[in-house]
């Protein structure tokens, strides 16, 4: 673990401590310090990617360390955006906390690059973009699921008339529902492009045997499942708790796609995605 990684880790932990202080008991100074430290974490993580892109002339999303590091950065990015434009403090804390967990997980990532993957990435630059778009899609699906959880929590509390401090700090049900749907929509679009790039390259390059892979099948299942989720919201006007529950069920497929399918995949074992 290099000096920069240590520094980012400590800043991240301090940011969460100040954020937790504000979450437990409103503290404007703690919120400002926590958000400022998180912004510094974002800048340092962004600097890492910019430096790697400059040195390698490609996206640094090849090893598991790089993909999980990038995933954490995407979560922090959206956490800060939500806070800057909507003052969604609860979602800032939840996303930054999840990003910290993923960042810790990235530290155990492998630094070695699979030889076959290196050959693919050197053949045209499609794979790093495919991986980056996939990571972005999974991050967006994760944010959408967090909003769905918040919706179910708030709906249950309001229906049973059980008030709490956390409940008062959440935005309206309608806003949470809209954000959950929009993040899922953008994630689905990102996954669509990633699948088109990946499958298109396989077909054009003549490596058709790579399509016969469990990770490819499971990714297509996730793609179709989120498509059905979005269709239910638009065509069937299914909203409220039913759509939120459907969101979480589909997100369970995302987790399965990562946790189980990589084990049996023929060429996705090298990475987080």
């Amino acid at each position: 673990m290099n000096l920069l990684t240590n520094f980012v880790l400590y800043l991240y932990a301090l940011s969460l401590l100040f954020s937790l202080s504000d979450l437990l008991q409103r503290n404007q100074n703690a919120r400002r310090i926590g958000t400022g430290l998180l912004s510094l974490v974002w800048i340092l993580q962004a600097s890492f990617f910019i430096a790697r892109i400059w040195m390698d002339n490609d996206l640094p999303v090849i090893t598991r360390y790089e993909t999980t590091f990038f995933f954490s950065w995407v979560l922090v990015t959206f956490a800060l955006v939500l806070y800057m434009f909507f003052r969604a403090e609860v979602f800032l804390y939840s996303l930054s906390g999840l990003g910290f967990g993923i960042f810790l997980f990235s530290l155990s990532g492998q630094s070695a690059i699979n030889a076959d993957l290196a050959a693919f990435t050197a053949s045209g630059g499609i794979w790093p973009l495919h991986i980056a778009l996939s990571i972005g899609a999974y991050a967006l699906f994760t944010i959408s699921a967090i909003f769905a959880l918040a919706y179910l929590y708030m709906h249950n509390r309001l229906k049973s008339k059980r008030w709490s401090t956390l409940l008062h700090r959440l935005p309206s049900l309608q806003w949470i529902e809209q954000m959950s749907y929009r993040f899922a929509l953008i994630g689905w679009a990102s996954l669509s492009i990633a699948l088109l790039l990946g499958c298109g390259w396989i077909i054009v390059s003549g490596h058709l045997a790579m399509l016969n892979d469990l990770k490819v099948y499971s990714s297509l299942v996730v793609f179709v499942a989120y498509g059905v989720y979005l269709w239910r919201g638009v065509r069937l006007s299914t909203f409220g708790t039913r759509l939120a529950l459907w969101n979480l069920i589909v997100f369970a497929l995302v987790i399965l796609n990562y946790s189980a399918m990589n084990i049996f995949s023929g060429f996705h074992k090298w990475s987080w995605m």
Side-chain angles (χ1 to χ4, degrees):
M1 197 186 309
N2 57 38
L3 184 61
L4 174 62
T5 303
N6 273 318
F7 187 54
V8 172
L9 184 64
Y10 297 146
L11 285 178
Y12 218 146
L14 280 174
S15 170
L16 289 177
L17 286 175
F18 281 106
S19 298
L20 181 62
S21 174
D22 176 57
L23 186 63
L24 295 176
Q25 186 175 2
R26 281 187 179 273
N27 187 325
Q28 190 174 9
N29 289 331
R31 182 170 68 250
R32 287 175 178 174
I33 296 173
T35 306
L37 290 173
L38 187 63
S39 300
L40 184 56
V41 167
W42 182 88
I43 292 172
L44 291 173
Q45 288 182 320
S47 301
F48 165 82
F49 286 109
I50 293 172
R52 288 293 301 275
I53 291 171
W54 179 266
M55 290 187 296
D56 301 337
N57 198 29
D58 214 337
L59 292 172
V61 286
I62 303 303
T63 65
R64 193 181 74 182
Y65 168 76
E66 292 171 344
T67 54
T68 47
F69 194 101
F70 182 63
F71 188 93
S72 172
W73 179 77
V74 173
L75 288 180
V76 173
T77 300
F78 282 105
L80 290 172
V81 168
L82 285 170
Y83 179 74
M84 288 173 59
F85 291 97
F86 303 105
R87 294 301 176 190
E89 300 167 6
V90 175
F91 296 105
L92 171 71
Y93 302 150
S94 58
L95 289 176
S96 59
L98 181 59
F100 180 73
I102 294 173
F103 179 70
L104 284 178
F105 178 71
S106 75
L107 300 182
S108 64
Q110 302 169 353
S111 59
I113 299 177
N114 181 286
D116 293 332
L117 179 67
F120 290 145
T121 55
S123 64
I126 293 297
W127 286 107
L129 183 58
H130 161 78
I131 297 166
L133 286 170
S134 299
I135 296 170
Y138 280 43
L140 289 163
F141 291 150
T142 301
I143 298 171
S144 177
I146 290 174
F147 273 101
L149 276 172
Y151 181 92
L152 291 174
Y153 168 82
M154 189 173 183
H155 182 273
N156 179 265
R157 286 279 179 170
L158 291 175
K159 189 175 181 179
S160 58
K161 296 182 179 180
R162 289 182 293 169
W163 316 111
S164 65
T165 304
L166 179 60
L167 189 65
H168 289 292
R169 302 187 70 171
L170 285 170
S172 68
L173 276 175
Q174 183 181 7
W175 185 86
I176 294 174
E177 183 178 53
Q178 289 176 349
M179 296 302 293
S180 179
Y181 190 85
R182 289 172 182 174
F183 274 111
L185 177 60
I186 301 171
W188 186 76
S190 179
L191 182 62
S192 302
I193 300 173
L195 290 174
L196 284 173
L197 288 175
C199 294
W201 185 93
I202 289 173
I203 295 171
V204 171
S205 63
H207 296 84
L208 297 180
M210 295 177 68
L211 291 175
N212 187 26
D213 186 89
L214 281 176
K215 185 59 182 281
V216 175
Y217 298 146
S218 63
S219 296
L220 290 173
V221 169
V222 170
F223 171 77
V224 172
Y226 269 102
V228 173
Y229 162 80
L230 295 170
W231 176 76
R232 289 175 65 91
V234 174
R235 300 293 297 178
L236 300 183
S237 298
T238 303
F239 290 104
T241 56
R242 292 177 61 186
L243 196 64
L245 286 171
W246 181 267
N247 187 319
L248 295 178
I249 291 171
V250 178
F251 183 68
L253 295 176
V254 173
I255 298 175
L256 180 65
N257 193 33
Y258 154 64
S259 61
M261 292 304 134
N262 279 14
I263 299 174
F264 303 103
S265 173
F267 63 95
H268 280 89
K269 294 178 180 180
W270 52 269
S271 175
W272 188 80
M273 283 296 168

